[in-house]
Amino acid sequence: MGSELKDLNSKPAKTQQPDPNDDDASAKDDRPLLKSTASSAAEDIQELEKKFAAFVRNDVYGSLGCGKLPLKEKLLLGIALVTLLPLRLLLVMSILVLYYLICKIFTLCSAPNLEEEQEDYAHLGGCRRAVILQSGRYLSRLLLFMVGFYWINETHKDSANTQDNSKTESTKKQSEERVRPGAIVSNHLSYLDVLYHMSSSFPSFVAKKSVSKLPLVGLIGKCLGCVFVQRESKSSDFKGVAGIVTDRVRNAHQNELAPMMLLFPEGTTTNGDFLLPFKTGAFLAGAPVMPVILRYSYRRFSPAWESISGVRHVVFLLCQFVNNLEVTRLPIYHPSQQEKDNPKLYANNVRKLMAAEGDLIVSDIGLAEKRIYLAALNGLLGQS
């Protein structure tokens, strides 16, 4: 069942462009990352932020969450530190422990799936799976509510890609509605993204192998059916992340009882205004995918987690009285035969669609540039 990307020329994706007034814009960018030591730290930071705009914090807390706060923000933060923070921490831990106990009870006397060097309980069926799934969705939404996401604005858009064949529109629509996507493809802004998707569809996702050993979280991840990655593994039976993900996506597409995969093809987080290049892992199976666009609106602290330490981010997030999340769900994207044969083309077309529908700026930088930006930014702020 083939499809084509629908008329993106009428709604082009924004692209990060060089300044036409910059004499060096057309030349190869072989300038040093920072200016000479005589330059001020502020000028160096501005240059970094222009070059790595996708990872720049634009809220009142500034770079790395270490900016100078206005008096009003200091007062609000001080009040929240002694009221909201301890209360929300207690509620979050209570929900986490409760769900761990549910997972523990309903996996008793059950052997985990140990195929492909993985360990999970996604194969459980019957009432045990139903309780784990439904309680996980409910408690994930409750947890988001407890940290300030009192309402989540969800928008479901109409079909964005069509099929050029002899079927009528009604027949095509009925046929596509019966097709189950193999993966949810989402832009990535924060660890909060996972909580939202857990509350919405309870998918499995890729996580570090070390996560499976963590208290509380480890068992929850196994119940989700996460793909745990240990890059240094040299086992001859280990097919690699791409192989396991491809099998999981294909299985989810063909088997309604299998958990769908949640994949963030950008490979890292941004500030929410940009869309980075997509990796092809979600598209190798050639199965339909469901694109989802997330955006955190804010006035004070941005919930996006792109260039701020985890502890600082959690503290500021819990100290913000209200947090907002906007979700745009696009129709299931059915790849054409050409896209099935060329996963890179498939990934690029889905990326273009998401950028156009989400009003996101297409950027060519990625995780490597993010690490350079953070290292340079830490060095500059350490000197100031």
Side-chain angles (χ1 to χ4, degrees), residues 78-98:
I79 294 171
L81 281 170
V82 297
T83 55
L84 272 183
L85 181 62
L87 176 61
R88 284 178 167 174
L89 280 174
L90 178 62
L91 292 172
V92 167
M93 288 305 302
S94 299
I95 294 172
L96 190 60
V97 170
L98 174 60

Side-chain angles (χ1 to χ4, degrees), residues 93-137:
M93 288 305 302
S94 299
I95 294 172
L96 190 60
V97 170
L98 174 60
Y99 189 50
Y100 169 81
L101 292 175
I102 292 174
C103 292
K104 189 70 174 177
I105 292 171
F106 284 87
T107 55
L108 286 175
C109 304
S110 298
N113 173 34
L114 298 175
E115 295 179 359
E116 300 172 337
E117 291 196 355
Q118 298 297 310
E119 182 180 354
D120 63 70
Y121 292 95
H123 65 287
L124 293 179
C127 65
R128 290 187 296 177
R129 180 64 184 170
V131 171
I132 289 173
L133 191 152
Q134 294 301 328
S135 62
R137 294 182 63 176

Side-chain angles (χ1 to χ4, degrees), residues 5-26:
L5 196 63
K6 180 182 178 182
D7 195 15
L8 283 180
N9 293 329
S10 63
K11 193 173 183 181
K14 295 187 287 184
T15 306
Q16 191 175 3
Q17 299 287 349
D19 186 353
N21 297 321
D22 189 348
D23 294 336
D24 299 330
S26 60

